[in-house]
């Protein structure tokens, strides 16, 4: 049974944090709530968990009205951005907390709790560290304790608020892969909040992009990346170069060159602004079709290089080209830049 | 210029350091240590027998009992109130929050005598609520309830003030986490909130206890100084002193001072243990 969020609204004072958000998560789906800070993604997550009460709208799960249930009765696992581990309890005691809080017949025996805690610590690869206090663990380890603690209650939905926000880049990538594996193993409907588009695109089955408390676009990572519904989506998912263009016969004329318009673009004739990714340029030496420019700095950055170009109309333009090509170019050279593809809204 | 040690953490000259230390120490000796010592010296001036005899007297025993009773009532009251207020102020948003925060500090800035007078105004036979209680045979002013009320008022901020900054810093995430894990409010309070503030709470209670036992001004106004009935230890010291019974006065005073010193010592011991615990927790 899916999780259905319908026309959710929430304001803080006069600030509209959520403005009529509707979203549906299928069983076992892995959804990323992506957006800049202040876009309402954490508020949405907290509404699902029950830590915030929306002003209007509904959240239903397995046919039940979640909003009528108390936080403690929802059985929704939440991993907090700063983990919120109980600082005076060991990792094992943290994980056991939810099991011990169960009431009446549901409460497992001490032996069962112990076994389950060991099992969960093994799942998050923290065997043998159960006796450590949170302050004795690294950021990544705390993160995993928080996840094990949330999983202990056998949640019906798993929510993660910026799960990798406080970790360094290498640990982030490791944990990302590992979180995906955990999701595949548990099959839990999982929703995570992030402001990192790379993280969202890599991890999620579907990405919901929020802007100012409203959904801008919901879709698979491919859909968002290749068929962005709005300029905001396109700009949020990567760097963008904006160039004036003229649409003629279903193609964009940029610097005299005909450039293919991508799916979803406007095709009606007239002036427009072409949105192009910085790595979607063909660079030719000397004068040929395309934007004429003088090359400034060539900055090598791993597999690709950044070219700082000065267009003849005086505008600065930064594009990315493969490292091999960059090696053949010299600062001060005359080049022609031709976009391979563009989007116009 | 005086030569500077290369290991000195600051570039301040040595004479400045030693002057400051000397001034601070001299001040502490003159203002605190000497008077404290004098209390014990005076108490023992006529020998141990006279010292102990001072306690073996009905009025003295009654004063000690009353002080312990008043402390035993007002400290738990203020502990519960302090926890409630700190919880409300740090975990919720509500109208009048900053007003409540200011109000909690009021007893620290108002003279205790005024606190006592307010109770007289409210509860004496001619006061606002006095007749109501008098009709029902309940005496408040010049009786134990008045002393308890006055002491409670004066010692009211100590627990709350220790807790509020700590709880503010800790935020509400852990409580929210407990709720998502299925814990009810009581379970959350006893297993999450309370353990997180246990040291601050202990310090607050100790300070509150020390202050409750020693309160003079407010209690003096409401007690009526009835020897053997409404006289607490600080009041009894005054009575004895006014009767030129210096040995007995200083003997009782030394017992009060001893209570205060023990309280401080307990706090110091706990603090050093607390620091050790923190340091251990920080080691990775």
């Amino acid at each position: 049974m899916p999780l259905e969020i319908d026309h959710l609204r929430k304001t803080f004072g006069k600030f509209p944090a959520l403005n009529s958000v509707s979203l549906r998560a299928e069983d076992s789906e892995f959804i990323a709530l992506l957006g800049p800070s202040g876009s309402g993604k954490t508020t949405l997550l907290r509404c699902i968990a029950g830590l915030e009460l929306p002003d209007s709208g509904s959240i239903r799960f397995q046919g039940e009205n979640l909003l009528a249930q108390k936080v403690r009765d929802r059985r929704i696992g939440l991993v907090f951005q700063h983990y919120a581990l109980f600082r005076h309890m060991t990792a094992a005691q943290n994980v056991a907390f939810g099991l011990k809080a169960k009431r009446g017949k549901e409460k497992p025996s001490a032996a069962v709790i112990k076994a389950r805690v060991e099992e969960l610590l093994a799942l998050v690869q923290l065997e043998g560290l159960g006796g450590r206090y949170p302050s004795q663990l690294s950021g990544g380890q705390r993160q995993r304790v928080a996840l094990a603690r949330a999983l202990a209650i056998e949640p019906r939905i798993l929510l993660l608020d910026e799960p990798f926000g406080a970790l360094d880049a290498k640990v982030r990538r490791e944990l990302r892969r590992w979180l995906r594996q955990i999701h595949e193993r548990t099959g839990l409907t999982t929703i995570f909040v992030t402001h990192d588009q790379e993280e969202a695109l890599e991890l999620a089955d579907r990405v919901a992009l929020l802007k100012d408390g409203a959904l801008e676009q919901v879709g698979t990572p491919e859909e968002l990346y290749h068929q962005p519904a709005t300029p905001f989506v396109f700009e949020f998912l990567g760097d963008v170069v904006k160039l004036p263009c003229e649409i003629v016969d279903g193609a964009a004329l940029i610097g005299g060159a005909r450039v293919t318009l991508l799916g979803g673009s406007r095709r009606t004739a007239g002036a427009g602004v072409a949105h192009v990714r910085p790595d979607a340029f063909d660079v030719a030496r000397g004068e040929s079709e395309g934007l004429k420019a003088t090359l400034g700095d060539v900055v090598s950055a791993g597999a690709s290089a950044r070219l700082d170009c000065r267009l003849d109309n005086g505008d600065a333009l930064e594009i990315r080209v493969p490292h091999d090509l960059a090696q053949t170019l010299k600062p001060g050279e005359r080049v022609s830049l031709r976009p391979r593809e563009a989007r116009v809204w | 210029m005086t030569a500077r040690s290369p290991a000195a953490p600051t570039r301040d000259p040595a004479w400045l350091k030693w002057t400051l230390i000397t001034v601070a120490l001299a001040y502490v000796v003159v203002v605190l240590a000497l008077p404290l010592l004098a209390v014990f010296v005076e108490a023992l001036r006529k020998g141990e027998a006279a010292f102990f005899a001072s306690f073996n007297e009905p009025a003295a025993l009654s004063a000690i009992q009353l002080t312990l009773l008043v402390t035993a009532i007002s400290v738990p009251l203020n502990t519960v109130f302090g926890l409630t207020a700190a919880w409300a102020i740090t975990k919720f948003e509500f109208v009048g929050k900053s007003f409540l925060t200011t109000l909690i500090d009021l007893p620290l800035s108002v003279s205790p005598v005024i606190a006592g007078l307010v109770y007289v105004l409210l509860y004496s036979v001619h006061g606002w609520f006095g007749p109501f209680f008098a009709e029902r045979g309940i005496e408040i002013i010049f009786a134990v309830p008045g002393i308890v009320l006055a002491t409670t008022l004066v010692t009211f901020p100590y627990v709350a003030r220790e807790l509020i900054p700590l709880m503010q810093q800790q935020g509400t995430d852990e409580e929210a986490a407990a709720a998502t894990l299925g814990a009810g409010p009581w379970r959350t309070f006893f297993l999450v909130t309370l353990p997180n503030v246990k040291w601050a709470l202990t310090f607050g209670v100790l300070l509150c206890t020390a202050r409750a036992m020693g309160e003079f001004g407010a209690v003096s106004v409401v007690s009526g100084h009835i020897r053997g009935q409404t006289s607490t230890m600080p009041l009894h010291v005054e009575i004895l002193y006014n009767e030129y019974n210096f040995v007995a006065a200083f003997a009782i005073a030394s017992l009060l001072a001893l209570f205060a010193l023990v309280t401080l010592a307990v706090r110091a011991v706990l603090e050093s243990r607390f620091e050790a615990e923190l340091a251990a927790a920080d080691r990775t």
Side-chain angles (χ1 to χ4, degrees):
Chain A
M1 291 291 273
L3 170 73
E4 292 165 299
I5 298 162
D6 200 27
H7 291 97
L8 216 61
R9 277 177 197 280
K10 171 82 190 171
T11 52
F12 293 112
K14 280 183 182 161
F15 175 71
L18 291 177
N19 196 356
S20 198
V21 170
S22 300
L23 182 67
R24 188 183 155 99
E26 302 300 335
D27 261 353
S28 300
E29 206 177 11
F30 200 165
I31 289 187
L33 294 178
L34 178 66
S37 55
S39 59
K41 50 197 194 308
T42 294
T43 306
L44 180 55
L45 203 72
R46 290 175 71 92
C47 284
I48 302 171
L51 299 175
E52 300 286 354
L53 199 62
D55 301 335
S56 65
S58 74
I59 304 178
R60 303 184 70 81
F61 181 67
Q62 300 181 332
E64 296 166 23
N65 176 11
L66 275 190
L67 294 180
Q69 297 175 355
K70 285 185 192 153
V71 182
R72 58 186 294 203
D73 298 325
R74 290 193 190 188
R75 253 182 63 218
I76 294 179
L78 174 58
V79 176
F80 289 74
Q81 186 173 5
H82 300 291
Y83 323 128
L85 293 177
F86 305 126
R87 67 194 85 195
H88 62 279
M89 294 184 201
T90 62
Q93 286 167 340
N94 265 282
V95 176
F97 187 89
L99 296 169
K100 289 184 179 163
K102 285 184 191 283
R103 283 160 290 174
K105 273 188 293 179
E106 279 183 28
K107 187 171 175 168
S109 70
V112 172
I113 291 178
K114 193 166 179 288
R116 182 95 181 99
V117 168
E118 303 262 307
E119 193 185 309
L120 282 159
L121 286 175
L123 177 74
V124 298
Q125 296 160 358
L126 288 174
E127 297 104 326
L129 295 183
R132 296 260 188 107
Y133 284 91
S135 55
Q136 297 168 312
L137 296 169
S138 71
Q141 289 170 332
R142 285 181 216 178
Q143 225 286 328
R144 287 183 272 159
V145 175
L147 182 64
R149 182 177 71 174
L151 290 174
I153 57 166
E154 295 182 330
R156 304 185 292 175
I157 305 170
L158 182 63
L159 307 174
L160 303 113
D161 188 3
E162 300 265 6
F164 314 115
L167 305 170
D168 60 62
K170 189 161 172 288
V171 180
R172 284 174 87 111
R173 274 195 296 276
E174 264 170 45
L175 276 180
R176 217 187 270 174
R177 223 163 296 144
W178 169 82
L179 179 64
R180 183 73 217 189
Q181 285 167 12
I182 297 251
H183 172 256
E184 252 129 56
R185 216 178 308 174
T186 57
L188 268 171
T189 306
T190 304
I191 301 179
F192 78 102
V193 158
T194 180
H195 62 263
D196 180 340
Q197 80 282 0
E198 193 190 316
E199 201 165 280
L201 295 178
E202 185 184 320
L203 266 177
D205 296 328
R206 278 195 306 147
V207 178
L209 184 58
L210 280 142
K211 182 198 175 196
D212 300 333
L215 279 175
E216 195 79 0
Q217 189 175 5
V218 183
T220 62
E222 292 74 32
E223 280 168 356
L224 256 75
Y225 199 80
H226 297 293
Q227 291 157 36
T230 64
F232 177 79
V233 177
F234 192 63
E235 283 177 52
F236 198 81
L237 294 184
D239 293 330
V240 173
V241 172
K242 290 182 203 172
L243 299 164
C245 71
E246 189 75 25
I247 297 182
V248 180
D249 300 334
L253 275 182
I254 302 173
R258 277 179 66 85
V259 178
T260 317
L261 282 170
L262 286 170
S265 284
R266 171 166 78 86
R267 286 169 199 281
T268 46
V273 178
H275 290 63
V276 185
R277 294 277 183 222
D279 55 1
F281 283 89
D282 285 329
V283 181
R285 299 170 103 152
E287 309 284 328
S288 67
E289 248 188 357
L291 297 160
K292 313 293 180 287
T294 307
L295 204 53
D297 280 343
V298 178
V299 183
S300 177
S304 69
R306 192 187 81 213
L307 303 186
D308 293 339
C309 308
R310 175 73 58 188
L311 295 181
D312 285 356
N313 68 4
D315 288 349
L317 187 65
E318 266 185 40
I319 64 168
R320 271 198 305 271
V321 295
H323 180 73
D324 294 349
L325 173 62
Q327 281 202 312
T328 66
L329 297 168
K330 288 187 183 58
E333 253 187 303
R334 292 286 296 163
V335 288
S336 300
L337 309 172
R338 183 180 174 151
R340 284 191 291 273
E341 54 194 29
R343 275 166 217 285
V344 182
W345 276 275
Chain B
M1 259 314 222
T2 324
R4 286 175 195 140
S5 146
T10 67
R11 298 176 60 83
D12 292 327
W15 64 264
L16 181 64
K17 172 178 152 192
W18 290 110
T19 310
L20 286 177
I21 291 174
T22 312
V23 169
L25 270 181
Y27 192 79
V28 167
V29 167
V30 171
V31 175
L32 274 175
L34 272 183
L36 195 62
L37 191 67
V39 170
F40 290 97
V41 169
E42 282 297 319
L44 291 163
R45 184 172 288 269
K46 292 192 176 154
E48 280 173 45
F51 175 77
F52 287 111
S54 312
F55 300 109
N56 202 3
E57 202 233 318
L61 286 177
S62 148
I64 296 172
Q65 270 176 8
L66 184 60
T67 294
L68 293 180
L69 174 73
V70 169
T71 308
I73 298 174
S74 60
V75 171
L77 276 180
N78 280 334
T79 304
V80 171
F81 167 79
L83 268 170
T84 316
W87 177 283
I89 286 171
T90 57
K91 312 277 174 182
F92 299 107
E93 288 300 323
F94 56 91
V95 181
K97 182 163 147 170
S98 57
F99 180 67
L100 179 61
T101 316
T102 314
L103 210 59
I104 289 173
D105 283 347
L106 198 61
L108 293 178
S109 46
V110 168
S111 159
V113 176
I114 294 172
L117 282 172
V118 168
Y119 278 117
V120 171
L121 175 72
L122 292 179
Y123 296 111
S124 73
V125 185
H126 307 291
W128 292 4
F129 308 120
F132 174 84
F133 289 105
E135 279 165 27
R136 286 155 185 80
I138 302 169
E139 272 185 280
I140 293 182
I141 299 303
F142 306 143
V144 176
I147 299 174
V148 171
L149 279 175
T151 307
T152 307
L153 173 75
V154 172
T155 57
F156 160 102
Y158 291 94
V159 175
R161 276 176 63 95
E162 285 279 339
L163 292 178
I164 289 169
L166 179 68
M167 288 170 80
Q168 243 156 8
Q169 178 218 324
Q170 289 180 345
T172 54
D173 269 5
E174 286 184 46
E175 279 81 10
T180 65
L181 293 169
W186 288 109
R187 196 176 176 83
T188 304
F189 177 74
F190 284 110
L191 293 184
V192 177
T193 309
L194 204 54
N196 277 349
V197 299
K198 63 182 174 193
W199 292 116
L201 182 65
T202 311
F203 296 156
V205 168
L206 284 174
L207 208 58
C208 188
T209 307
R211 195 70 185 74
M213 287 190 302
E215 176 49 29
F216 178 83
V219 171
S220 175
V221 176
V222 297
S223 103
H225 301 257
I226 306 168
R227 200 175 177 141
Q229 278 183 38
T230 63
S231 202
T232 60
M233 286 169 72
L235 298 187
H236 193 60
V237 170
E238 193 203 20
I239 292 174
L240 291 170
Y241 190 83
N242 289 343
E243 290 168 352
Y244 303 105
N245 191 349
F246 296 131
V247 168
F250 280 107
I252 306 286
S254 69
L255 189 62
L256 263 178
L258 203 64
F259 281 163
L261 287 176
V262 166
T263 311
L264 272 181
V266 170
R267 183 178 166 134
V269 168
L270 286 179
E271 224 159 31
S272 67
R273 251 194 67 192
F274 183 36
E275 269 164 28
E277 215 173 84
L278 267 183
D282 277 343
R283 245 176 273 131
T284 316

